[in-house]
């Protein structure tokens, strides 16, 4: 163990707040297990130092110091500065340079680094230690006055922005002016005179704005920089980021600060800097991936100001160093068993490592590398499964642009983050946020993006930039969010002030609809049709491994034969919920359904029901054929009947139009000479009336008008009788089945006859009939008796025995309480967690989400929206009781969940722990559910779910 | 033991269906413990025989035989007739008469009698055994041919009606004709010739209608009579009666048949018959009570055909027999420890007992006799408490006519069943039923009532008859139902055909509103104001005994100071629910409340809130003073705010009117001479649009109108934002308290300041603040913090510390699941079983009761309406879980119920068994609740409530 630099007991001058331990760790002391104390960057630098990679000397100030700083009204904790000074002394010893020395000055960078990576969210200061006197030392030592001055200029600008909180634009404008004056393109082309003049002007700005001279004391510089970095932990953008990514205070507790000896990638053409991934973070391909710039500082690469070159080109420029980097890549992956994202600088042909961290990979890349690393024996299958988080699959299940699409893109940029996105163009982050919150779909277009733009990312469908490479800020953040991103589309010139992007003679203005394809880098005008997501070979393999592991079944909620086929493609094991009512919504079926609902007598109703039977049956035949012998759970009619009726206002309007029309007609009869005048009035009504009675030619047929008026009146009255105060708790589900048994009987007949027909074709089927809204065993018995009767009739008619299961939805609280009794009749339960959540909370979803639920979340009355994430403490507890009581009656009771939450990862984990047999979710969520079920099984995270 | 008459083993000729036992018991064999087998009447007759009272010889056919008869398609069970013949033989031996003998014929009555008394519901045949030949024997033996013929006539008529199912009116009409012809009033004045002619005509009717001769074989007569009595068990009126009184099949399983030697009260003036109670069944007074008729058969008294005389008059007529009856009274009460209702006949100065049973007492009588019998040491206090069923108290809690009322009645009848009732007059039972089912309140007026009228009783508010005494059918049934009844109002002449009742020159027609007072016998025209029920001294005492026994507390739901005083009178121990929102509904407060609801900003809202504060406070002051230191649970605002707003349709109408009005005004501009100035007084009435429109017709202040139109438009939009899809599950309860904390803060302040004010006057108070609609502990915490803050402010301001409890409603299912957590904050729970039932069933009460709940009850999907009777298996189970979890956290958690079911007896029993601390019901139900709580404690009926 090296001697500790700043343990309290060793230095009486240092009065630390810590009774034990310290605020500062040298890179040679730190330990990658102290990640939460040292931050990710600090831990990485310590680690690399210790495994022998070339890291410049430096030390870390702990996150603990940051927290004290925040808690203590932005004052550095006692003793910290003493420890820092001690650290600087060690750096001086190791480099032979002296901090603030006018001959051979030590320069350092001050870098943030929290435990959980928040790329670009917090601040960094470079070249610290320069002032009017040290800059000449640097010039002499390096023999490059221009370089020294340029470094000084950069330092003043960056320090002013970060530590003095000045607007960087003033500095940028001066720089641009100077470049224009000299007619040069790049910063490094500025001559000594221009630089000196710029430095003078920069310092004048500081003086003017802060009423003080720019600080020349290097320790003062250091102190201010440390404070600025600590302060950036609670900047708006950092807080937004943590909120969006669900980073809680427990997970990330302040940022560490890394003080690192400066190395320079901008010391001429034998210097360079770059950002690399050990594998391609977008595709996952197993190649060294990334970009570099000759004669530049690291920030130039990340910020996307100059478009960097692919790393492969370094092989030609500096073959030895390229080889060295290839070796680094091996060492890093061996060390971390994870793709690394690292920064390097080459200072006069010497390589330095400035950072390494786990790479943020795009969803496809994450899947591919997981599978590859199993094959490379870096990961086990279970590790590979756990490595892919649920949201990754969700992102892969986005729709994409058909590869066969022949549309011509307006330009092609870099494919920075895959997936297709369509939206209206917006040119700044605030606008993106504003519109996104209104529910509009937008594409954020920027020359380049900066950390301050982060809030606009959350609300955009996709990101498009004209500058910056695949490791630029836009690319990194978009990949982390799984949003499509095209960057470096250099053919596009963006005028952010007037909100126009120009590509040749094409102009994209705010509000124009565009589509980007982050998988190909293509940009299209307008909306481009997308196709179903495809499951890649790697994902297919990974999900199969998940299937091997998991015990929780995954079914799909499917209402149509088409969806059934899709769900099978996505790997469902059956249908957990087929909503029969959706089959009635087709244009040719709705009128028949309405006829049934409006019927006044059973006879009238039967006429309509007889027409509906073959319609339902044909759908079931197709679904059964698609599903083969997989279980198909069919829910009998659930919604209140009035949902099938036209809205009362609509009929009312028609009624009024007809009456007015009649009046006009009558007037025409009475005063034939007025006919002409009235005729024009009449013509106003014609199109409306025409709509109401489209097959009638002679509109003046009074009898017909009277008949229509009467029929509308009858309809209005009828609709009125259906009105309910609380439709959610009204006449629906099995309550309809009991009031009008003929409806349920028809549906059961359609199911069983369809099954019989398919069986006769030699195909096995497993229909399951499910009753909704059950609250008492008597209801279930009532439908059960109907089913038994119909089954016998179908058997007699078809000479085929249809084996079917009979079960109930559990979505009414009383059903939970009566689970033991219900299980005597039902051979399966399916929790309808949408309705059950409404009933458990006494929240009407529609009302709650519009009125008070957002406030409830904001004020932390509720952590989540229980309609999206299963409420484990309330609804979950009720489910556990139900499961226990149900299985007490019937040991092999099959229990599933078919609410919307069934596709949500945390909810699936609960279902796994609760011992459910399956979850049933939308086809698109099936792959996610398969993966999460495997996660749950592996983690076996049943413990303390109810604490 | 006397020799058994009909045990199977003793008689090979008798092939009984029973492997053991028998169908027939002699009175000297029967046993009052065999009540369910022998029926009430049979058991009584056996019992009286065995304690030495003078019962004519007879025997009982068991209820078992009746059930077999019903099950076996109305065939008498095998062996029965053999046993009956054997029984008859025994009667012959004991009386020395022979059944069917032309010299000295044995005559019998055939009387029904089920285990549970159903007065008048089933059939009885008298004088059976008469035919053309035995009638002359009877004439000779009695030396009274007229009597013999009259008996024969009566027998034929009654037998024809009951056993041959002929319409009795044909016989009645012939009788009336004969009497008219002879110009006589009473049946017994008919001479021999007339009787012979009548008998001939009667038999002709039988022949004509049945195509057979009237049966002369006496055993055939007996067989037919037994079958008829058995058959009457399943007559419509008997089934209606059992349904109405909740007599299930387990409780009453068929009727027994009693075959009794005839004795005759109509053998001249030394004979009589009567119906007596051992105490007054209406008032409970401890005197022999009842009526008799000289020279009449029992049916004459009950049917109310002749108005009988009070029993006290018998003391003068037959002093010895009156004394004998006084002795019988003593013997019976000693034997049964219960008021007895008995029938006697005096045949030529010899007393015979024909029946005894527990008397059906009116509610006051039941209470008084219970208390008296405790004082007489016949009953223990607990027995007295159990003797008074819960519905009795409910009946006593009916409103009554103020005794100080000076209104003149149109007539005064007998006070047959106490209580006041108002309704429209109807003259037949069918009409009463029809209107009653439509929800109309009717008074059923009849000359006399018959068992067939029973269905009309259920739906009437009260009964009024012109004939019959206090033991008439009408009186007995009305008392049993606890309905007000005035009978024997002889001044009233009723024409049932034309539906008019005439009293002097006053005519009461169908649809006329009348009021009867069953406590005084008074009949009034129109509606008469009633006053609060009064608790009699006896009831007061009984309820105090109940209080000594019970452990379950009884509180009242009270919203106003007036109700608080009433509730205390009725013996509540505190207020379990004070609904603060009801205080806002007063005409002078509603506009302020509306102002609060419509406020767009917090500032606007605060203006209204500041006005509401003193209003609420003053109410609380009064309530606290009324309740003294009894606990007062105050629920913070619960209903959705839009409930305080005018209906959108209403405003819409006003809006349209104003617009129309504006159009008219515009037209008036063309005629300047009509222009006038707006009356400044009108501006005061701005809110009352209609008034403005009325008064303003000749005005044209366009600005005002425009302003009004605009304000209506704003109001409409505002109301629109309040619209909810499912208001029951919407923005209400604590959700309002979280959205607008200032409202709850005001209410809490009003409570605590009122308490402080009252404390300063030296009165102790116990306020309890209760939060509605809570679903998570965070909500409760939120309000708790407000309460703590306000409490400190009130303390500082008033220099008084208000001790208050803080608790929560449990009416959302999730609250049940989170009971353990909620109990950390709440020191009491109160189950809101109305909402909890809605949430548990997912039934909206309004929708369910209108749409499918009646059908659910009819089809036995649900046994009861869960909004009236607590659903123990569902809601109750949820409550048990809640109680367990809540008390696990907080051992001394106080738990009550304040839903409507809290006043319902079965529900109260559950609450007692579940270990609740109190129930809280409407003030009127407090006495019932006190009694039922005592019942529950005594019965300790906790066992198997959940089976």
């Amino acid at each position: 163990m090296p001697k500790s630099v700043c343990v309290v007991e060793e230095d009486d001058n240092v009065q630390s707040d810590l009774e034990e331990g310290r605020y500062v760790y040298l890179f040679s002391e730190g330990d990658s297990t102290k990640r939460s104390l040292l931050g990710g960057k600090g831990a990485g630098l310590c680690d690399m130092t210790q495994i022998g990679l070339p890291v410049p000397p430096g030390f870390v100030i702990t996150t603990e110091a940051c927290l004290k700083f925040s808690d203590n009204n932005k004052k550095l904790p006692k003793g910290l500065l003493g420890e820092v000074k001690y650290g600087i002394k060690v750096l001086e010893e190791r480099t032979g340079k002296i901090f603030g020395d006018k001959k051979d000055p030590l320069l350092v960078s001050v870098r943030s680094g929290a435990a959980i990576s928040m790329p670009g969210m917090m601040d960094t200061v470079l070249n610290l230690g320069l002032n009017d006197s040290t800059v000449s030392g640097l010039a002499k030592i390096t023999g490059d006055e221009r370089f020294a001055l340029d470094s000084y200029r950069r330092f003043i600008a960056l320090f002013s922005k970060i530590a003095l909180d000045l607007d960087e634009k003033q500095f940028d404008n001066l720089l641009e002016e100077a470049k224009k004056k000299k007619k040069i393109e790049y910063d490094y082309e500025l001559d000594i005179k221009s630089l000196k003049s710029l430095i003078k002007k920069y310092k004048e700005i500081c003086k003017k704005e802060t009423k003080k001279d720019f600080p020349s004391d290097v320790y003062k510089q250091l102190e201010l920089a440390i404070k600025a970095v600590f302060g950036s932990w609670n900047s708006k953008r950092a807080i937004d980021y943590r909120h969006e990514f669900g980073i809680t205070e427990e997970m990330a507790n302040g940022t560490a600060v890394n003080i690192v000896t400066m190395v320079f990638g901008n010391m001429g053409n034998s210097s360079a800097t770059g950002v690399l991934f050990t594998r391609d973070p977008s595709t996952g391909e197993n190649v060294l991936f990334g970009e570099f710039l000759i004669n530049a500082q690291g920030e130039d690469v990340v910020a996307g100001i100059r478009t960097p070159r692919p790393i492969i080109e370094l092989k030609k420029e500096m073959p030895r160093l390229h080889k060295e980097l290839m070796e680094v890549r091996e060492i890093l992956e061996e060390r971390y068993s994870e793709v690394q994202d690292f920064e390097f600088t080459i200072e006069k042909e010497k390589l330095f490592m400035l950072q390494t961290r786990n790479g943020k990979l795009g969803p496809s890349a994450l899947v591919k590398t997981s599978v590859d690393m199993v094959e490379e024996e870096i990961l086990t299958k279970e590790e590979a499964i756990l490595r892919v988080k649920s949201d990754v699959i969700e992102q892969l299940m986005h729709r994409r642009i058909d590869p066969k699409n022949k549309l011509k893109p307006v330009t092609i940029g870099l494919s920075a983050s895959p997936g297709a996105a369509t939206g209206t163009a917006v040119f700044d982050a605030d606008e993106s946020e504003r519109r996104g919150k209104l529910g509009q779909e937008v594409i954020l277009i920027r020359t380049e993006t900066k950390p301050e733009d982060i809030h606009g990312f959350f609300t955009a469908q996709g990101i498009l930039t004209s500058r910056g490479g695949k490791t630029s800020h836009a690319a990194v953040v978009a990949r982390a969010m799984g949003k499509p991103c095209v960057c470096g589309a250099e053919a596009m010139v963006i005028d952010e002030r007037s909100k126009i992007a120009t590509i040749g003679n094409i102009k994209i203005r705010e509000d124009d609809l565009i589509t980007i394809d982050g998988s190909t880098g293509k940009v299209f005008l307008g909306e481009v049709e997308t196709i179903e997501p495809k499951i890649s070979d790697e994902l297919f393999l990974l999900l199969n491994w998940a299937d091997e592991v998991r015990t929780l079944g995954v079914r799909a909620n499917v209402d149509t034969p088409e969806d059934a086929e899709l769900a099978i493609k996505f790997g469902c094991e059956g249908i957990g919920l087929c909503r029969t009512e959706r089959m009635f919504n087709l244009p040719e079926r709705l009128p028949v359904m309405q006829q049934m609902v409006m019927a006044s007598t059973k006879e009238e109703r039967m006429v309509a029901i007889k027409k509906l039977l073959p319609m339902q049956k044909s759908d079931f035949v197709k679904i059964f054929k698609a599903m083969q012998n997989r279980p198909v759970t069919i829910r009998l009619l659930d919604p209140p009947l009035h949902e099938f009726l036209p809205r009362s206002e609509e009929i009312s309007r028609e009624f009024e139009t007809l009456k007015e029309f009649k009046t006009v007609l009558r007037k025409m009869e009475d005063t034939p000479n007025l006919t002409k005048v009235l005729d024009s009035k009449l013509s106003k009504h014609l199109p409306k009336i025409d709509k109401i009675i489209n097959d009638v030619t002679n509109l003046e047929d009074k009898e017909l008008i009277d008949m229509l008026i009467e029929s509308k009146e009858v309809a209005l009255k009828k609709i009125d009788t259906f009105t309910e105060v609380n439709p959610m708790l009204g006449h629906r589900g099995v309550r309809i089945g009991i009031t009008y048994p003929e409806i349920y009987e028809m549906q059961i007949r359609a199911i069983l006859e369809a099954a019989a027909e398919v069986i006769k074709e030699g195909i096995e089927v497993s229909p399951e009939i499910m009753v909704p809204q059950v609250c008492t065993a008597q209801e279930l018995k009532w439908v059960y008796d109907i089913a038994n009767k119909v089954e016998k009739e179908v058997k007699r008619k078809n000479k085929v025995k249809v084996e079917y299961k009979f079960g109930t939805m559990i979505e009414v609280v009383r059903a939970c309480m009566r689970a033991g009794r219900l299980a005597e009749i039902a051979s399966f339960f399916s929790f309808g967690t949408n309705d059950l959540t409404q009933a458990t909370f006494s929240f009407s979803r529609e009302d709650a989400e519009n009125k008070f639920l957002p406030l409830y979340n904001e004020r932390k009355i509720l952590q989540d929206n229980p309609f999206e994430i299963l409420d484990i403490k309330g609804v979950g507890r009720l489910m556990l009781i139900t499961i226990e009581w149900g299985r007490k009656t019937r040991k092999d009771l099959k229990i599933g969940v078919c609410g919307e939450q069934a596709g949500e990862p945390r909810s699936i984990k609960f279902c796994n722990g609760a011992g459910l047999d399956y979850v049933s979710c939308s086809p698109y969520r099936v792959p996610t559910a398969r993966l999460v079920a495997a996660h749950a099984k592996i983690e076996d995270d049943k413990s303390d779910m109810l604490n």
Side-chain angles (χ1 to χ4, degrees), chain A residues 345-380:
Chain A
T345 283
I346 295 167
E347 183 182 291
K348 296 191 171 168
E349 297 198 350
K350 181 164 167 34
L351 175 68
F352 291 97
M353 297 294 291
L354 297 184
Q355 165 164 345
T356 192
R357 60 185 179 195
N358 291 342
K360 293 210 173 182
L361 307 184
S364 314
L366 203 57
V367 170
K368 178 166 168 47
T369 52
S370 293
V371 171
D372 285 354
M373 284 169 134
V374 169
E375 279 160 9
E376 294 161 26
E377 294 183 358
I378 296 175
L379 300 176
T380 65

Side-chain angles (χ1 to χ4, degrees), chain A residues 452 476 521 782 795 865:
Chain A
E452 298 92 286
V476 169
W782 173 274
K795 187 177 166 188
N865 178 342

Side-chain angles (χ1 to χ4, degrees), chain A residues 111 195 222 344 363 421 465 659 733 781 785 835 891:
Chain A
R111 293 167 183 267
L195 287 170
L222 189 57
F344 70 92
T465 69
K659 280 206 301 184
K781 179 71 169 44
D785 289 345
D835 279 9
K891 229 178 172 174

Side-chain angles (χ1 to χ4, degrees), chain A residues 603-631:
Chain A
E603 288 65 38
E604 272 184 55
R605 199 173 307 115
M606 286 309 294
V607 172
I609 283 178
K610 274 187 189 140
K611 287 190 231 165
L612 290 171
L613 177 67
M615 297 174 182
Q616 287 233 303
K617 186 179 158 188
S618 73
D619 278 357
F620 291 137
V621 165
K622 286 182 207 146
I623 289 175
F624 287 144
K625 282 186 182 172
M627 297 306 293
Q628 305 279 340
N629 64 351
R630 294 179 184 86

